[in-house]
Amino acid sequence: MSKLSAVHTARIETIASAVLTVATSGEGFFEITRDVVRFLEKIKARDGAVLIYLKHTSASLVIQENADPDVRTDLVTALKRLAPAHADWVHEVEGPDDMPAHIKSMLNGVSLQVPVAGGTLALGAWQGVYLAEHRARAHEREVMLQFLGSCEHA
């Protein structure tokens, strides 16, 4: 049987935005949870939602386990199996990992929305926010952070 907690309401008083630049070292998962938390602390967020949007088509955003790094290793392996390089792709403008990167980005998505309650990012105990780089070489990726909700007043 399901159980609904008490309902809490808050007015959207604030829309705050910033761009986070993430340097990747090549294919893999790069945790940005602390960066999102730092953004929320800087604006003194209280209750609302943070929107996280990646401005690229060959990388993606995911919420994944942050306890065991083997999970991220296995996720890279799984994505390589789903969209391998050298699979006779028509689009290879930037190399054999070009089209596979676009497919992986499409599968994972480029946006997330996470609730913020009492100034805290409402993630589960073992969850972290990751930028997934799908290209073999290093890139600088831009992530748009936007908070909608209420903030502490100075």
Side-chain angles (χ1 to χ4, degrees), residues 62-107:
V62 298
I63 294 175
Q64 257 313 323
E65 179 178 326
N66 63 0
D68 184 353
D70 288 344
V71 170
R72 293 181 296 281
T73 300
D74 288 341
L75 289 171
V76 168
T77 300
L79 288 171
K80 283 181 178 180
R81 288 179 185 155
L82 290 171
H86 306 291
D88 295 325
W89 303 111
V90 174
H91 177 76
E92 288 190 339
V93 173
E94 296 177 45
D97 69 340
D98 193 7
M99 192 60 213
H102 292 301
I103 294 168
K104 295 168 189 177
S105 174
M106 179 184 68
L107 292 172

Side-chain angles (χ1 to χ4, degrees), residues 37-71:
V37 168
R38 190 175 72 226
F39 166 69
L40 295 173
E41 289 171 346
K42 187 170 191 165
I43 63 168
K44 298 182 179 172
R46 196 171 52 218
D47 295 301
V50 63
L51 310 173
I52 308 164
Y53 176 76
L54 181 64
K55 298 167 69 173
H56 301 277
T57 61
S58 59
S60 59
L61 294 170
V62 298
I63 294 175
Q64 257 313 323
E65 179 178 326
N66 63 0
D68 184 353
D70 288 344
V71 170

